[in-house]
Amino acid sequence: MDSPSRSGVFQAQTDKRLEAFAESISFDRRLYRQDIRGSIAHAEMLTARGMLSGEEFALIEATLKEIEAELDAETFPISFELEDIHMHVEQALIDRIGDTGRKLHTARSRNDQVSTDVRLWVRESLEEVDAKLLDLQRAFLSRCDQDFDVVLPAYTHLQRAQPVLAPHYWLAYIEKFQRDRTRVADCRKRLNECPLGVAAVAGTTLPIDRQQTSQSLGFDRPTANSLDTSSDRDFMLESAFVLSVIASHLSGWAEEWILWSTVEFDFIKMPQAFCTGSSIMPQKVNPDTLELTRGKAARVMGNLQTLMLLVKNLPLAYNRDLQEDKPPLFDSFDTVIASLSLAAPIVEGSMLRRESIESRLEKGYLDATTLMEWMIRKGMPQRRAHHLVGAIVGEAMGRDVPLSDLTLDVMQSHAAEIDESVYKVLGSQNAVAAFVSYGSAGPDQVRSQIDRWKKRLQ
Ligand code: ARG
């Protein structure tokens, strides 16, 4: 059997080598639900516009649902001869109901059909990504109260910088994933225009109603230019970008917690259910889930690159190159959804190594900047305070003690303005408690951010 897309103009059969080269059924088969949904909406519109009778519509609809059930059950026969999911469904319809089935493709092309199908698929998948992002935000939020009394070093340049409450870290990731969610919503909004009825490239001379199909498929409106629509894959580029940013956030977090779970940091213990062992070293408990999260992010970013390159030189409008859009698009969604699904239980099930964190918290002079700001509050110009505290830290380093262990005499030998009350801001606990600015790492600010997120995410 040759493909129904080969009209009477052909006098030769398709070469088998081309068939294998050109098929997309091996990967676009997963669009079958969207394809059938689109076909039913199209047939309904053709009926309303007098191009199908009520009985014909009923027969088409029932048969499409039968085909869908077989695809669900994986009993539906797949063959490279029929190229893609669109031809498979249409040919099965024709095989079962003859000429009535031959009417379905009226005023439609696979060009508007594939674009409609993928938009429907991406729309649903974006919703799934959003739900997974929300789960992960909730996982971070669920740690905030239990870890409220833990102080962690914040790093810049991966050097100890200033003390922060542990939930300040968790809130940082909640913020990142919230921005991702707004990008997902934005992407969904822009893709939600219906290509159906654009047909191949110029529209149709038949009296279709594009408002109707757009509405019944849940789109905001039909697309306005058939040439543009036939070629447009912006929504795929945007999704692949949004997914790349999510993958980048996940990868950075994974990297951080891989470091934190080393003997060298010893900040966190991950749930063993998400760790793996070594086939030779019996002591190993490896953070492979996070390493794979970091590694798979590379694939997601590569997929964005593939899609960008795919479209960059295409003249208007549809070109068959575009068939290559689906594998990278699907892979990005699959990879990010899987990574998010594993991240949430790891975040929820990990334990901070409180004793280990505390035992080294006074290393690294996390309170030095707080001391400088204390001197500024006493009226000292910032540059002088910065210089003096540097000298005091140098003195403490020489003695290998934290700042709070220096006597008042020693401190006053550097700056006569220093008095007894300085000890109220020294030490990481005191230093973190002194933060007051909006969005800072201190208890009042962190508490109010936790409360704000609890209201937003519940
Ligand atoms: N399988 C094709 C794709 O994914 C469907 C559209 C084919 N259109 C065509 N004119 N050959 O792009």
Side-chain angles (χ1 to χ4, degrees):
M1 163 192 39
D2 216 6
S3 164
S5 66
R6 289 169 86 82
S7 74
V9 80
F10 283 93
Q11 283 163 19
Q13 295 271 309
T14 316
D15 189 286
K16 286 285 165 203
R17 288 165 294 189
L18 170 59
E19 253 175 37
F21 190 63
E23 68 85 20
S24 58
I25 186 63
S26 55
F27 52 84
D28 67 15
R29 171 197 174 132
R30 67 191 289 178
L31 295 172
Y32 73 88
R33 286 204 183 92
Q34 291 76 16
D35 194 70
I36 287 171
R37 189 173 164 205
S39 286
I40 292 173
H42 181 67
E44 203 169 20
M45 179 279 292
L46 292 177
T47 311
R49 302 310 302 249
M51 286 172 273
L52 286 176
S53 71
E55 295 84 72
E56 285 172 326
F57 171 70
L59 187 58
I60 288 174
E61 189 186 30
T63 313
L64 286 173
K65 291 202 162 143
E66 189 182 290
I67 293 168
E68 185 172 22
E70 289 168 28
L71 277 154
D72 280 338
E74 295 184 21
T75 56
F76 188 83
I78 297 295
S79 142
F80 284 2
E81 286 166 25
L82 288 170
E83 271 184 29
D84 57 24
I85 186 61
H86 325 294
M87 302 308 309
H88 274 78
V89 172
E90 190 188 346
Q91 186 61 51
L93 189 72
I94 293 168
D95 290 345
R96 293 169 201 207
I97 62 174
D99 271 350
T100 303
R102 287 191 181 88
K103 293 185 179 180
L104 176 64
H105 213 53
T106 303
R108 188 179 74 171
S109 148
R110 279 184 295 160
N111 297 351
D112 56 341
Q113 199 179 349
V114 71
S115 173
T116 306
D117 293 1
V118 184
R119 281 179 202 241
L120 290 171
W121 187 91
V122 169
R123 197 170 70 186
E124 287 167 32
S125 302
L126 287 173
E127 275 157 24
E128 196 178 341
V129 169
D130 184 67
K132 296 281 177 197
L133 284 167
L134 176 60
D135 287 346
L136 183 53
Q137 286 181 306
R138 286 183 173 149
F140 274 111
L141 190 61
S142 77
R143 303 198 61 95
C144 286
D145 287 329
Q146 88 198 39
D147 297 334
F148 196 82
D149 56 335
V150 179
V151 178
L152 282 169
Y155 294 83
T156 62
H157 315 270
L158 200 55
Q159 303 288 324
R160 287 196 167 202
Q162 292 186 281
V164 300
L165 293 183
H168 203 51
Y169 267 98
W170 315 154
L171 293 164
Y173 285 108
I174 292 174
E175 294 283 346
K176 289 185 196 299
F177 294 123
Q178 185 63 27
R179 283 196 300 278
D180 291 335
R181 292 180 66 198
T182 65
R183 271 184 281 271
V184 166
D186 196 42
C187 194
R188 186 201 185 285
K189 196 179 343 156
R190 222 175 349 268
L191 75 76
N192 208 32
E193 295 189 344
C194 187
L196 212 53
V198 155
V201 63
T204 173
T205 60
L206 295 165
I208 59 169
D209 181 353
R210 292 193 60 206
Q211 297 290 347
Q212 181 183 335
T213 38
S214 167
Q215 221 170 43
S216 70
L217 293 172
F219 288 104
D220 296 331
R221 63 192 78 82
T223 58
N225 180 294
S226 63
L227 256 178
D228 170 42
T229 306
S230 169
S231 69
D232 175 28
R233 295 294 182 270
D234 291 3
F235 67 99
M236 295 194 193
L237 303 180
E238 286 188 40
S239 315
F241 170 72
V242 170
L243 293 167
S244 293
V245 178
I246 297 170
S248 161
H249 288 154
L250 286 170
S251 182
W253 160 75
E255 167 76 7
E256 188 166 274
W257 280 29
I258 289 167
L259 287 171
W260 284 12
S261 64
T262 58
V263 170
E264 285 72 13
F265 272 83
D266 199 27
F267 283 2
I268 206 155
K269 188 169 184 294
M270 274 180 260
Q272 285 201 345
F274 295 97
C275 295
T276 57
S278 156
S279 57
I280 176 167
M281 297 169 283
Q283 85 283 13
K284 294 300 289 288
V285 181
N286 292 326
D288 291 36
T289 315
L290 298 188
E291 294 167 85
L292 286 167
T293 299
R294 192 176 55 187
K296 285 171 192 280
R299 283 226 324 262
V300 175
M301 293 166 194
N303 289 335
L304 171 61
Q305 174 93 330
T306 301
L307 288 167
M308 295 295 305
L309 294 177
L310 184 65
V311 299
K312 71 180 263 297
N313 280 351
L314 298 182
L316 295 179
Y318 179 84
N319 293 276
R320 188 65 179 271
D321 315 43
L322 293 176
Q323 179 168 290
E324 293 291 318
D325 58 10
K326 282 168 278 303
L329 181 79
F330 292 156
D331 184 60
S332 282
F333 274 103
D334 292 345
T335 306
V336 167
I337 287 170
S339 303
L340 287 168
S341 303
L342 286 160
I346 290 178
V347 166
E348 234 161 44
S350 294
M351 300 268 292
L352 283 179
R353 313 260 301 165
R354 289 161 171 260
E355 281 174 22
S356 165
I357 292 166
E358 217 187 301
S359 69
R360 286 165 300 142
L361 200 59
E362 300 311 326
K363 299 266 182 211
Y365 303 98
L366 297 168
D367 49 358
T369 307
T370 320
L371 171 59
M372 178 193 73
E373 292 185 342
W374 180 87
M375 287 162 84
I376 292 171
R377 260 184 285 139
K378 294 271 170 199
M380 196 180 285
Q382 191 271 344
R383 274 292 157 239
R384 208 161 91 75
H386 181 256
H387 185 79
L388 282 178
V389 173
I392 295 172
V393 169
E395 172 103 38
M397 279 174 170
R399 299 169 186 239
D400 195 23
V401 294
L403 292 178
S404 57
D405 277 10
L406 293 178
T407 62
L408 195 55
D409 282 352
V410 170
M411 293 219 234
Q412 283 172 341
S413 73
H414 289 276
E417 299 89 329
I418 298 181
D419 60 43
E420 192 65 42
S421 68
V422 74
Y423 292 102
K424 292 207 184 91
V425 297
L426 294 184
S428 297
Q429 291 283 355
N430 287 334
V432 84
F435 286 114
V436 292
S437 59
Y438 179 80
S440 65
D444 289 351
Q445 284 301 317
V446 171
R447 171 52 58 206
S448 84
Q449 294 294 335
I450 294 172
D451 291 345
R452 178 171 77 95
W453 281 110
K454 278 184 179 167
K455 278 189 210 108
R456 275 181 90 170
L457 300 182
Q458 261 147 29

